[in-house]
């Protein structure tokens, strides 16, 4: 609950995103989902509360995420265009493990 960070690794080779989260009192979890990725692989982290808000507001089964770098804002928008909506989310800087 103290750590609201969700990490995402978009893999250009496998066309998958690995979503990871950790909570000290609950544990950790990973989920791998297919994506249609244009561009290079990228690892990025966000506050999960803001991502959930963006996904709920999009009201769509498919969401486009537009991003340039792991430190630049990302734009979330519904793919089907049923509603005109975009959400700008700032990433969280991840500590390097090495």
């Amino acid at each position: 609950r103290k750590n609201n960070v969700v990490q995402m690794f978009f893999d250009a080779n496998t066309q998958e995103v690995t979503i990871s989260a950790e909570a000290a009192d609950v544990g950790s979890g990973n989920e791998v989902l297919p994506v249609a990725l244009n561009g290079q692989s990228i690892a990025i982290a966000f506050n999960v509360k803001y991502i959930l808000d963006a996904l709920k507001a999009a009201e769509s089964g498919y969401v486009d995420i537009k991003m340039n770098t792991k430190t630049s804002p990302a734009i979330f928008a519904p793919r089907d265009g049923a509603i005109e909506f975009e959400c700008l989310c700032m990433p969280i800087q991840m500590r390097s493990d090495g």
Side-chain angles (χ1 to χ4, degrees), residues 7-59:
Q7 295 182 3
M8 300 177 179
F9 175 67
F10 293 86
D11 191 327
N13 294 324
T14 63
Q15 292 292 296
E16 294 177 332
V17 59
T18 302
I19 303 169
S20 305
E22 290 185 28
D25 55 341
V26 179
S28 62
N30 292 320
E31 188 71 35
V32 179
L33 301 169
V35 295
L37 180 63
N38 297 323
Q40 300 177 353
S41 298
I42 187 170
I44 194 165
F46 296 98
N47 182 315
V48 71
K49 292 179 182 180
Y50 301 138
I51 298 303
L52 289 175
D53 287 345
L55 295 175
K56 288 177 190 175
E59 297 180 358

Side-chain angles (χ1 to χ4, degrees), residues 56-78:
K56 288 177 190 175
E59 297 180 358
S60 176
Y62 295 93
V63 175
D64 287 330
I65 305 171
K66 300 171 187 173
M67 58 190 138
N68 292 323
T69 68
K70 65 182 182 178
T71 57
S72 300
I75 298 173
F76 290 75

